[in-house]
Amino acid sequence: MLKTWLTDEVGMLHPIIQGGMGPYSTNNLCVATANAGGLGIISLLGMGVQHCKVTPVDPVAVFGEGTTEDYIERSLDYVKEQTRQSRGVFGVNCPVAVEFADAAKRLIGGVLAVRGDDRELAERLRVVVTSAGDPLPWGELIRQTDILWFHVVPSIGHVRRAERAGVDAIIASGHEAGGHISWQPVHSLVLIPGVVEATTLPVIAAGGFCDGRTVAAAFAMGAVGVQMGTRFIATKECDFWDIWKQAILRSSDRDTLVGRGLFGPMRVLRNGLSVTWVDKTLELAPGLLKGEPVGLDQQILELEKEGLATLAQGRDSDGSLLLGGEAAGRVNDMPTVKELIERIISEAEAIIRGLPNLIIEPVAT
C-alpha cells in the first residue's frame, strides 16, 4: 500500500483521484472510485451551464428536470448513500473560468451549503477541486469551511497565484491531458517536477497517468498522488456512453487533436467532427497554435455544442466530440474501477520496490 500526504490528509486508501470530467454526470464513477479506496469526484460543470453565458449542453438531457440546486442535492445524496457502507471519501470539481464565474458561485456555494447542513456529508465530502481559471477570487467562499481545496495549474507560473489563494494542494496537469488544457504546451515531465520545486504545497500529478509505471514516475517527480481522467472513462462503472469508451480503446497515441474549446484549448479524440472543429480553429483562431489566448468564435462554439449534444445521445461516434487525453493510446481494456485501481497500485509498488536495485555502491580502491 502507498502512503502519502494525500492518503493521510483526505482519508483515502490509495493516492489516486478520479478526474471531474464534465459536462456530463460522473456520479456512478465517483461512487465506484470512492468505494475502491480512491477519491471519487462529482463533476459540477453540467449542473450549472444554464447560468453560463454560453451553454454547451442541455442540463435536462443529462440530469433530468430540475434546478441547479436540485441537481446538487440529488448528486450529493446519491453518492453519500452509495458509499455509506465503504465509508468512501469523495469531492467535487468545478471550473472557475471567467465565462463560468456566475455558475461556479452558485455551484460551489450550493455544495458547501448542503455539506454544512449534513454531518455525515461533511465527514466524507472532503475536497473541492477548482480548475480552468484563477483561484484567487474563490478563497473567501471556500475558506468559510474546513473542506480541503485543490486547484489545477497548467504551468509553473500559476503556482504563486494558487499559493496566494490559500489552497491546500496543487494539481499540476500536463498538456497531454484530455479536455481543457493550457494555452501553452507544458507537458507533465517538465511541469510536475517544476511545480514541486516551486512550492512547499503538496503536488498531485495529472496529464498522461494511466498505469503503475506512470504512477511510479509521478512519485519519482515528487508528487503525492495522481489524478486520472481518460483512463477512468474506459471502466465498467463509468457513466459515459459506450461509443466514448470504445473510441478510447481503439485510439493510438497519435489519435488526439487540440482545438478552441469553451474555456480555451481542449484535447479530444480524432474523428470526423473533431477534424472539422480543428480545421475551423485553424481558420478562425490560428493564434492558438502559438500559445496565444484567442477569442471564441461562434462558428467554433457551435461545432463544440453540436458534438457534445450528439455525444449525449450515445449513438454517433464520428459526429460526437469525444474528450480524451494522449493516455487513450495506452488504454486497451475495460476493467471495473476496483480492478483498475488495485492493478495500478500493485504495479507501482513493484516498480518502486525494484528501484533500489539500480543503485550500486562504488567499490573502494
Side-chain angles (χ1 to χ4, degrees), residues 70-121:
D70 293 333
Y71 299 149
I72 290 171
E73 289 188 23
R74 286 180 205 163
S75 295
L76 294 180
D77 186 63
Y78 174 76
V79 173
K80 180 184 72 174
E81 294 297 324
Q82 295 298 314
T83 57
R84 176 168 286 146
Q85 184 174 356
S86 73
R87 307 303 295 176
V89 292
F90 51 97
V92 298
N93 171 275
C94 187
V96 291
V98 172
E99 301 92 332
F100 199 66
D102 291 342
K105 289 176 185 176
R106 195 160 183 165
L107 290 163
I108 296 173
V111 167
L112 297 180
V114 174
R115 181 181 184 269
D117 292 335
D118 187 324
R119 180 180 231 173
E120 181 186 359
L121 194 60

Side-chain angles (χ1 to χ4, degrees), residues 2-128:
L2 297 172
K3 179 182 173 65
T4 73
W5 176 93
L6 185 62
T7 56
D8 288 349
E9 196 69 19
V10 179
M12 51 205 284
L13 186 63
H14 303 301
I16 294 177
I17 300 174
Q18 162 240 318
M21 299 168 285
Y24 309 107
S25 171
T26 60
N27 292 351
N28 290 322
L29 182 55
C30 174
V31 166
T33 304
N35 285 338
L39 180 67
I41 298 292
I42 299 170
S43 174
L44 300 179
L45 172 58
M47 302 181 195
V49 292
Q50 64 267 48
H51 307 294
C52 181
K53 294 178 182 178
V54 179
T55 304
V57 295
D58 176 9
V60 175
V62 179
F63 298 99
E65 295 287 344
T67 65
T68 293
E69 289 71 24
D70 293 333
Y71 299 149
I72 290 171
E73 289 188 23
R74 286 180 205 163
S75 295
L76 294 180
D77 186 63
Y78 174 76
V79 173
K80 180 184 72 174
E81 294 297 324
Q82 295 298 314
T83 57
R84 176 168 286 146
Q85 184 174 356
S86 73
R87 307 303 295 176
V89 292
F90 51 97
V92 298
N93 171 275
C94 187
V96 291
V98 172
E99 301 92 332
F100 199 66
D102 291 342
K105 289 176 185 176
R106 195 160 183 165
L107 290 163
I108 296 173
V111 167
L112 297 180
V114 174
R115 181 181 184 269
D117 292 335
D118 187 324
R119 180 180 231 173
E120 181 186 359
L121 194 60
E123 291 175 353
R124 295 199 290 111
L125 174 51
R126 298 284 294 131
V127 176
V128 58

Side-chain angles (χ1 to χ4, degrees), residues 2-347:
L2 297 172
K3 179 182 173 65
T4 73
W5 176 93
L6 185 62
T7 56
D8 288 349
E9 196 69 19
V10 179
M12 51 205 284
L13 186 63
H14 303 301
I16 294 177
I17 300 174
Q18 162 240 318
M21 299 168 285
Y24 309 107
S25 171
T26 60
N27 292 351
N28 290 322
L29 182 55
C30 174
V31 166
T33 304
N35 285 338
L39 180 67
I41 298 292
I42 299 170
S43 174
L44 300 179
L45 172 58
M47 302 181 195
V49 292
Q50 64 267 48
H51 307 294
C52 181
K53 294 178 182 178
V54 179
T55 304
V57 295
D58 176 9
V60 175
V62 179
F63 298 99
E65 295 287 344
T67 65
T68 293
E69 289 71 24
D70 293 333
Y71 299 149
I72 290 171
E73 289 188 23
R74 286 180 205 163
S75 295
L76 294 180
D77 186 63
Y78 174 76
V79 173
K80 180 184 72 174
E81 294 297 324
Q82 295 298 314
T83 57
R84 176 168 286 146
Q85 184 174 356
S86 73
R87 307 303 295 176
V89 292
F90 51 97
V92 298
N93 171 275
C94 187
V96 291
V98 172
E99 301 92 332
F100 199 66
D102 291 342
K105 289 176 185 176
R106 195 160 183 165
L107 290 163
I108 296 173
V111 167
L112 297 180
V114 174
R115 181 181 184 269
D117 292 335
D118 187 324
R119 180 180 231 173
E120 181 186 359
L121 194 60
E123 291 175 353
R124 295 199 290 111
L125 174 51
R126 298 284 294 131
V127 176
V128 58
V129 179
T130 53
S131 59
D134 182 4
L136 203 57
W138 299 92
E140 183 177 354
L141 174 62
I142 296 172
R143 280 309 175 203
Q144 294 177 13
T145 76
D146 64 346
I147 198 166
L148 293 167
W149 179 16
F150 301 167
H151 183 71
V152 180
V153 304
S155 75
I156 299 168
H158 285 83
V159 169
R160 294 289 171 260
R161 202 77 175 169
E163 290 176 331
R164 286 177 57 196
V167 305
D168 295 292
I170 291 174
I171 299 175
S173 184
H175 204 258
E176 55 267 68
H180 296 105
I181 52 179
S182 66
W183 291 101
Q184 292 79 26
V186 185
H187 289 76
S188 293
L189 198 60
V190 171
L191 175 67
I192 293 159
V195 172
V196 168
E197 292 168 1
T199 185
T200 58
L201 291 172
V203 177
I204 296 146
F209 297 92
C210 60
D211 58 10
R213 290 185 184 279
T214 48
V215 169
F219 290 121
M221 288 188 283
V224 299
V226 300
Q227 176 177 281
M228 300 190 309
T230 302
R231 172 63 269 201
F232 273 118
I233 296 175
T235 57
K236 292 179 180 177
E237 296 95 336
C238 181
D239 311 61
F240 299 163
W241 299 269
D242 192 58
I243 59 168
W244 198 348
K245 300 180 183 185
Q246 294 301 323
I248 287 175
L249 295 180
R250 291 194 304 269
S251 293
S252 75
D253 57 350
R254 296 176 292 177
D255 281 335
T256 66
L257 298 169
V258 175
R260 179 47 160 109
L262 175 59
F263 302 136
M266 187 166 71
R267 187 179 298 279
V268 302
L269 304 182
R270 179 189 291 269
N271 65 6
L273 181 67
S274 67
V275 169
T276 301
W277 171 68
V278 171
D279 284 342
K280 192 60 69 174
T281 296
L282 294 174
E283 175 190 346
L284 301 173
L288 182 141
L289 291 180
K290 296 184 286 186
E292 298 173 354
V294 290
L296 179 58
D297 186 275
Q298 187 64 30
Q299 294 181 58
I300 301 174
L301 175 62
E302 288 302 321
L303 285 171
E304 178 179 350
K305 291 169 65 175
E306 173 191 334
L308 295 177
T310 301
L311 177 56
Q313 298 170 10
R315 295 191 297 269
D316 182 3
S317 177
D318 201 50
S320 298
L321 206 56
L322 304 164
L323 283 69
E326 293 179 2
R330 303 195 61 242
V331 176
N332 52 29
D333 66 347
M334 199 184 310
T336 66
V337 168
K338 179 177 173 61
E339 290 168 344
L340 175 63
I341 289 178
E342 290 181 349
R343 182 173 75 196
I344 288 174
I345 295 299
S346 178
E347 290 174 352

